Amino acid sequence: MDAERQPGRGGQDWPLLLWTSLAVLVPVVLTLWCSVRRSRRRVYMKDFIRKCKHGWRCTDLFSKPTYCCLCSQHILQGACCDCCGLCADELCLRRADRTMPCKEIMAPARADGTPAHRWVRGNVPLCSCCRVCKQQCGTQPRLCDYRCVWCQATVHDECKGGVADGECCDLGEFRSVIIPPHYLHQVNKLRRRLPDDYTKLSAACGSGWTPVLVLANTRSGNNMGEALLGEFRTLLNPVQVFDLTQLPPSKALQLCTLLPPGSVRVLVCGGDGTVGWVLDAIDNMRLKGQDQFIPRVTILPLGTGNDLSNSLGWGAGYAGEIPVEQVLRNIMEAEVVKMDRWKVHVASKGHFLRKPKVLSMNNYFSVGPDALMALNFHTHREKTPSFFSSRIINKAVYFLYGTKDCLVQECKDLDKRIELELDGEKVALPSLEGIIVCNIGYWGGGCRLWEGMGDELDDGLLEVVGVFGSFHCAQIQVKLANPVRLGQAHTVRLVLKSSRMPMQVDGEPWAQGPCTITITHKTQALMLYHSAEQTDDDDDDSSASEAEDLAYPVPKIQF
């Protein structure tokens, strides 16, 4: 009997196999279908945003809970405008872009020459205070209350009637760094564009008007550039904010020529390489005879090293620990200093017809193990850039390359392959593996090579030190050893007699054969120095104590 039932039992198993196959295939098909739909939606949104009048950025329920300014419903999938703060879901997005104007970068003023408020309803920032009743705004779970896109003032729905229609907008706390739209409108009407005319027009903007241009490299650091661009567009005129991946600094800095001479400050959001790129563009302005429009440069460090930012008091890295409002306040309080810039002339031996390589140096030039680590890092980042998106990962990769060089010692016997001259005098070298020529006090991502050395940024001198290898570099960074101080000089000359050696200038590495390297003074840049006498915690504590004692709160243009 059992033998007779065995074939029939096999015929009854096919439903189980069918449902098992469906249980496996259906999730796979749904996942693939959702991926295709998501990819198509992403392409559609990018194409739509590129053609829009607003600066839309995609949002959803999880990234930033917001309400649609048209249908007042909660946004599940939609976009928010970085410039004016307008929010809309996908169904209302096209109508919102067509019917609701964005923040105007250039517009005429009223008859009395003053700007008016520009209100947008809903999605006001948390902890906002109504300028009429002085109570908190945006506390209700619906689309409510208003915000001015220029002065950032907020009012309740019921209090908006208390704000006169003709009331002047004073542009808020950051009026001294904002380029008003009526200023650009008046500049556009000028028949002759002379510096004196700009100075006369700026009188209406206040005596302490120092507009700030924001130049951000969205590829630097840990991919914070996109978010920073949006936050600065919200606070400033969008024409002041530039994405350097879309527009080179030479084009962005042409806005300086439409502003009063000597008044502009430039905030560079990026690493040391981005800062050098901007400073080179400023040097080109000098070559064009635009010296009077040269801006003052400050840094918001987003890269890996950020040694120049550290030397100027802006920190070794920015990860969003302070709001952009405080960044602008620090820029307004910073002092102007001069910084030497140097020319690195590399002439290869045996290639007389080849044009010499000429580079600009702000931080340091080095040959040896630290340049080798930078070269290995740069090579692998070019192959897989998505892997190097975190500052922690970048430093870990540097550590691995340094450990490898401790075992291999590729730069051994450097003293036998290179000659060093300081101001024309030959220097006898000990048994070194690397030579570092410094212009600033910091090196290698925040390490001070020698206390008191390189603190004067405009002394016209270079400090030259040597290292014995990668392990010695690691000891220097944890303050267990000091480099070999070789001297100071106005001119440094190095002769690589044989073989190929890794070299770098401000973190930009390459492999170089026999050559002669000459480092001479190029020019001086005007930088902004932040002297933070107290830490952030001390500032908060002191502000709180003062508040208790005093019993009151502490207060699209193309070139």
Side-chain angles (χ1 to χ4, degrees):
M1 296 290 293
D2 293 339
E4 294 177 357
R5 292 176 182 176
Q6 195 70 24
R9 187 178 298 172
Q12 294 175 357
D13 289 341
W14 71 266
L16 179 62
L17 295 175
L18 176 62
W19 287 110
T20 302
S21 301
L22 290 175
V24 174
L25 292 176
V26 169
V28 173
V29 172
L30 287 176
T31 301
L32 293 175
W33 182 80
C34 291
S35 299
V36 172
R37 294 282 297 178
R38 190 181 300 112
S39 177
R40 289 180 178 176
R41 177 181 172 273
R42 190 180 297 114
V43 172
Y44 166 77
M45 290 297 294
K46 285 184 177 180
D47 185 64
F48 172 75
I49 289 172
R50 188 175 66 252
K51 301 175 182 178
C52 285
K53 302 175 183 177
H54 288 265
W56 296 114
R57 187 172 61 177
C58 294
T59 186
D60 54 34
L61 176 65
F62 302 101
S63 61
K64 184 179 180 182
T66 49
Y67 295 91
C68 177
C69 294
L70 273 74
C71 65
S72 302
Q73 298 299 314
H74 208 80
I75 295 179
L76 299 179
Q77 291 284 349
C80 290
C81 178
D82 284 337
C83 302
C84 65
L86 184 69
C87 299
D89 59 27
E90 283 192 347
L91 297 178
C92 302
L93 195 57
R94 189 174 295 275
R95 183 159 60 97
D97 189 74
R98 185 177 62 253
T99 60
M100 305 187 74
C102 189
K103 199 174 184 179
E104 293 180 310
I105 62 176
M106 183 171 60
R110 299 183 305 178
D112 59 356
T114 59
H117 287 291
R118 165 78 167 80
W119 300 105
V120 171
R121 186 164 187 256
N123 305 303
V124 300
L126 297 176
C127 302
S128 299
C129 180
C130 177
R131 65 174 298 158
V132 177
C133 67
K134 307 304 179 184
Q135 299 298 318
Q136 188 174 356
C137 286
T139 56
Q140 302 182 36
R142 60 183 178 86
L143 188 74
C144 62
D145 305 335
Y146 289 84
R147 177 183 64 89
C148 176
V149 300
W150 288 108
C151 66
Q152 311 303 321
T154 55
V155 294
H156 291 115
D157 291 329
E158 56 272 16
C159 296
K160 190 172 183 294
V163 181
D165 293 336
E167 182 177 278
C168 170
C169 175
D170 62 357
L171 302 181
E173 177 186 0
F174 303 110
R175 66 182 69 89
S176 62
V177 299
I178 295 175
I179 300 178
H182 61 82
Y183 173 86
L184 293 177
H185 179 75
Q186 293 173 330
V187 168
N188 199 41
K189 291 170 60 178
L190 289 175
R191 294 184 179 179
R192 298 182 307 160
R193 293 187 175 182
L194 300 177
D196 292 340
D197 296 331
Y198 302 145
T199 304
K200 293 177 182 177
L201 292 178
S202 67
C205 301
S207 57
W209 187 47
T210 54
V212 172
L213 305 186
V214 180
L215 279 61
N217 186 354
T218 55
R219 297 174 183 170
S220 293
N222 50 359
N223 298 325
M224 290 190 61
E226 287 286 351
L228 284 171
L229 285 172
E231 294 184 50
F232 281 115
R233 288 191 186 107
T234 300
L235 296 175
L236 306 174
N237 190 328
V239 78
Q240 300 174 240
V241 185
F242 300 91
D243 183 355
L244 294 181
T245 62
Q246 305 295 329
L247 190 74
S250 57
K251 296 286 187 66
L253 291 173
Q254 289 305 303
L255 183 57
C256 297
T257 62
L258 301 180
L259 298 168
S263 66
V264 183
R265 300 187 171 198
V266 171
L267 173 63
V268 181
C269 305
D272 290 335
T274 305
V275 178
W277 189 18
V278 173
L279 292 178
D280 285 339
I282 292 176
D283 286 342
N284 291 333
M285 292 179 64
R286 289 191 174 94
L287 297 177
K288 296 178 182 178
Q290 299 173 343
D291 299 67
Q292 55 188 335
F293 297 108
I294 295 299
R296 282 69 175 151
V297 180
T298 184
I299 308 168
L300 187 62
L302 299 183
T304 303
N306 304 316
D307 292 298
L308 180 57
S309 172
N310 221 352
S311 299
L312 293 170
W314 299 104
Y318 179 77
E321 60 274 8
I322 61 174
V324 294
E325 291 87 352
Q326 186 58 45
V327 173
L328 291 175
R329 295 186 192 107
N330 292 340
I331 294 174
M332 295 162 62
E333 298 170 358
E335 60 178 305
V336 181
V337 297
K338 293 181 179 180
M339 183 189 73
D340 292 323
R341 301 192 72 221
W342 301 83
K343 180 174 69 174
V344 181
H345 185 277
V346 182
S348 299
K349 289 186 178 180
H351 300 280
F352 301 103
L353 300 179
R354 182 181 298 178
K355 188 177 181 180
K357 180 186 296 185
V358 180
L359 304 169
S360 297
M361 186 187 84
N362 304 310
N363 301 357
Y364 45 77
F365 164 87
S366 68
V367 52
D370 64 325
L372 177 63
M373 288 186 284
L375 180 60
N376 290 332
F377 176 84
H378 180 77
T379 302
H380 286 81
R381 184 172 61 177
E382 290 294 318
K383 293 180 180 178
T384 56
S386 58
F387 179 75
F388 299 88
S389 59
S390 169
R391 187 178 291 115
I392 296 177
I393 293 177
N394 294 348
K395 290 184 179 294
V397 173
Y398 262 104
F399 173 76
L400 293 176
Y401 287 138
T403 304
K404 174 186 174 183
D405 187 62
C406 288
L407 302 175
V408 179
Q409 292 183 320
E410 294 185 32
C411 303
K412 189 178 180 181
D413 297 329
L414 176 69
D415 55 301
K416 299 177 182 178
R417 293 183 276 178
I418 202 167
E419 294 180 357
L420 173 66
E421 293 182 6
L422 302 181
D423 288 337
E425 296 184 6
K426 190 173 180 179
V427 177
L429 297 177
S431 180
L432 299 174
E433 288 191 23
I435 295 175
I436 305 169
V437 182
C438 292
N439 180 46
I440 59 177
Y442 286 90
W443 161 86
C447 169
R448 291 187 67 86
L449 284 180
W450 198 284
E451 291 295 332
M453 183 181 69
D455 291 336
E456 295 294 331
L457 299 177
D458 61 343
D459 58 0
L461 288 172
L462 292 167
E463 288 75 30
V464 185
V465 299
V467 294
F468 295 116
S470 297
F471 186 69
H472 188 206
C473 291
Q475 288 180 309
I476 294 172
Q477 290 191 329
V478 296
K479 299 182 179 180
L480 293 179
N482 289 323
V484 180
R485 187 166 187 177
L486 301 175
Q488 293 178 301
H490 297 88
T491 302
V492 176
R493 186 171 179 265
L494 298 100
V495 179
L496 180 60
K497 297 180 289 185
S498 61
S499 71
R500 293 177 65 86
M501 291 294 294
M503 299 181 181
Q504 70 163 338
V505 173
D506 293 351
E508 301 298 326
W510 76 96
Q512 178 66 47
C515 64
T516 299
I517 302 164
T518 307
I519 305 177
T520 55
H521 191 270
K522 180 181 180 182
T523 184
Q524 286 187 330
L526 298 175
M527 310 296 291
L528 291 179
Y529 181 82
H530 176 56
S531 56
E533 297 180 356
Q534 294 177 318
T535 63
D536 294 338
D537 294 335
D538 294 338
D539 291 339
D540 295 339
D541 295 340
S542 62
S543 299
S545 61
E546 289 175 7
E548 293 175 359
D549 295 340
L550 300 176
Y552 67 88
V554 178
K556 304 182 183 177
I557 290 179
Q558 297 182 353
F559 300 100

